[in-house]
mmCIF file of all heavy atoms in Angstrom:
data_model
loop_
_atom_site.group_PDB
_atom_site.id
_atom_site.type_symbol
_atom_site.label_atom_id
_atom_site.label_comp_id
_atom_site.label_asym_id
_atom_site.label_seq_id
_atom_site.Cartn_x
_atom_site.Cartn_y
_atom_site.Cartn_z
ATOM 1 N N LEU W 66 4.255 2.297 22.702
ATOM 2 C CA LEU W 66 3.361 3.396 22.326
ATOM 3 C C LEU W 66 1.966 3.240 22.915
ATOM 4 O O LEU W 66 1.161 4.165 22.875
ATOM 5 C CB LEU W 66 3.235 3.483 20.800
ATOM 6 C CG LEU W 66 4.445 3.949 19.993
ATOM 7 C CD1 LEU W 66 4.124 3.852 18.499
ATOM 8 C CD2 LEU W 66 4.809 5.378 20.358
ATOM 9 N N MET W 67 1.678 2.050 23.433
ATOM 10 C CA MET W 67 0.306 1.731 23.833
ATOM 11 C C MET W 67 -0.276 2.754 24.807
ATOM 12 O O MET W 67 -1.417 3.199 24.656
ATOM 13 C CB MET W 67 0.246 0.330 24.450
ATOM 14 C CG MET W 67 0.532 -0.796 23.487
ATOM 15 S SD MET W 67 -0.676 -0.934 22.149
ATOM 16 C CE MET W 67 -0.282 -2.565 21.528
ATOM 17 N N GLN W 68 0.471 3.104 25.817
ATOM 18 C CA GLN W 68 -0.053 4.047 26.803
ATOM 19 C C GLN W 68 -0.153 5.448 26.216
ATOM 20 O O GLN W 68 -1.119 6.178 26.459
ATOM 21 C CB GLN W 68 0.839 4.060 28.049
ATOM 22 C CG GLN W 68 0.325 4.980 29.152
ATOM 23 C CD GLN W 68 1.135 4.854 30.425
ATOM 24 O OE1 GLN W 68 1.845 3.871 30.632
ATOM 25 N NE2 GLN W 68 1.030 5.846 31.285
ATOM 26 N N ALA W 69 0.828 5.803 25.374
ATOM 27 C CA ALA W 69 0.860 7.160 24.830
ATOM 28 C C ALA W 69 -0.285 7.435 23.858
ATOM 29 O O ALA W 69 -0.790 8.561 23.784
ATOM 30 C CB ALA W 69 2.198 7.420 24.139
ATOM 31 N N ILE W 70 -0.735 6.417 23.109
ATOM 32 C CA ILE W 70 -1.793 6.682 22.120
ATOM 33 C C ILE W 70 -3.139 6.951 22.781
ATOM 34 O O ILE W 70 -4.074 7.428 22.125
ATOM 35 C CB ILE W 70 -1.924 5.527 21.090
ATOM 36 C CG1 ILE W 70 -2.301 4.222 21.777
ATOM 37 C CG2 ILE W 70 -0.649 5.375 20.289
ATOM 38 C CD1 ILE W 70 -2.480 3.056 20.811
ATOM 39 N N THR W 71 -3.253 6.641 24.075
ATOM 40 C CA THR W 71 -4.493 6.964 24.803
ATOM 41 C C THR W 71 -4.217 7.952 25.936
ATOM 42 O O THR W 71 -4.995 8.044 26.883
ATOM 43 C CB THR W 71 -5.126 5.677 25.369
ATOM 44 O OG1 THR W 71 -4.183 5.015 26.210
ATOM 45 C CG2 THR W 71 -5.570 4.741 24.247
ATOM 46 N N ASP W 72 -3.120 8.684 25.828
ATOM 47 C CA ASP W 72 -2.737 9.664 26.841
ATOM 48 C C ASP W 72 -3.816 10.744 26.982
ATOM 49 O O ASP W 72 -4.535 11.062 26.028
ATOM 50 C CB ASP W 72 -1.413 10.319 26.443
ATOM 51 C CG ASP W 72 -0.752 11.058 27.602
ATOM 52 O OD1 ASP W 72 -1.191 12.197 27.905
ATOM 53 O OD2 ASP W 72 0.181 10.508 28.190
ATOM 54 N N ASP W 73 -3.933 11.313 28.183
ATOM 55 C CA ASP W 73 -4.915 12.384 28.406
ATOM 56 C C ASP W 73 -4.576 13.654 27.630
ATOM 57 O O ASP W 73 -5.466 14.442 27.308
ATOM 58 C CB ASP W 73 -4.993 12.727 29.905
ATOM 59 C CG ASP W 73 -5.618 11.614 30.722
ATOM 60 O OD1 ASP W 73 -6.352 10.794 30.128
ATOM 61 O OD2 ASP W 73 -5.369 11.564 31.942
ATOM 62 N N ASP W 74 -3.314 13.842 27.325
ATOM 63 C CA ASP W 74 -2.897 15.060 26.637
ATOM 64 C C ASP W 74 -3.060 14.905 25.126
ATOM 65 O O ASP W 74 -2.587 13.932 24.530
ATOM 66 C CB ASP W 74 -1.434 15.370 26.965
ATOM 67 C CG ASP W 74 -0.989 16.695 26.363
ATOM 68 O OD1 ASP W 74 -1.214 17.741 26.997
ATOM 69 O OD2 ASP W 74 -0.428 16.664 25.239
ATOM 70 N N GLN W 75 -3.717 15.863 24.509
ATOM 71 C CA GLN W 75 -4.016 15.825 23.077
ATOM 72 C C GLN W 75 -2.746 15.731 22.227
ATOM 73 O O GLN W 75 -2.687 14.963 21.263
ATOM 74 C CB GLN W 75 -4.799 17.085 22.700
ATOM 75 C CG GLN W 75 -4.924 17.362 21.219
ATOM 76 C CD GLN W 75 -5.584 18.707 20.977
ATOM 77 O OE1 GLN W 75 -6.583 19.025 21.592
ATOM 78 N NE2 GLN W 75 -5.010 19.491 20.075
ATOM 79 N N TRP W 76 -1.705 16.491 22.577
ATOM 80 C CA TRP W 76 -0.496 16.501 21.766
ATOM 81 C C TRP W 76 0.280 15.201 21.893
ATOM 82 O O TRP W 76 0.939 14.754 20.937
ATOM 83 C CB TRP W 76 0.381 17.712 22.124
ATOM 84 C CG TRP W 76 -0.156 18.955 21.484
ATOM 85 C CD1 TRP W 76 -0.969 19.884 22.045
ATOM 86 C CD2 TRP W 76 0.059 19.365 20.136
ATOM 87 N NE1 TRP W 76 -1.282 20.865 21.134
ATOM 88 C CE2 TRP W 76 -0.650 20.581 19.943
ATOM 89 C CE3 TRP W 76 0.793 18.858 19.070
ATOM 90 C CZ2 TRP W 76 -0.663 21.265 18.741
ATOM 91 C CZ3 TRP W 76 0.802 19.539 17.856
ATOM 92 C CH2 TRP W 76 0.080 20.727 17.698
ATOM 93 N N VAL W 77 0.216 14.565 23.036
ATOM 94 C CA VAL W 77 0.849 13.255 23.178
ATOM 95 C C VAL W 77 0.145 12.247 22.276
ATOM 96 O O VAL W 77 0.783 11.471 21.556
ATOM 97 C CB VAL W 77 0.822 12.779 24.648
ATOM 98 C CG1 VAL W 77 1.448 11.387 24.765
ATOM 99 C CG2 VAL W 77 1.553 13.762 25.551
ATOM 100 N N ARG W 78 -1.194 12.242 22.314
ATOM 101 C CA ARG W 78 -1.956 11.314 21.474
ATOM 102 C C ARG W 78 -1.671 11.569 20.000
ATOM 103 O O ARG W 78 -1.545 10.630 19.204
ATOM 104 C CB ARG W 78 -3.465 11.440 21.741
ATOM 105 C CG ARG W 78 -3.895 11.008 23.119
ATOM 106 C CD ARG W 78 -5.386 10.695 23.183
ATOM 107 N NE ARG W 78 -6.221 11.751 22.647
ATOM 108 C CZ ARG W 78 -6.579 12.861 23.304
ATOM 109 N NH1 ARG W 78 -6.119 13.051 24.545
ATOM 110 N NH2 ARG W 78 -7.369 13.770 22.762
#
Side-chain angles (χ1 to χ4, degrees):
L66 290 176
M67 293 296 195
Q68 182 174 341
I70 62 179
T71 57
D72 196 281
D73 291 338
D74 185 85
Q75 167 186 314
W76 282 96
V77 178
R78 294 200 309 279

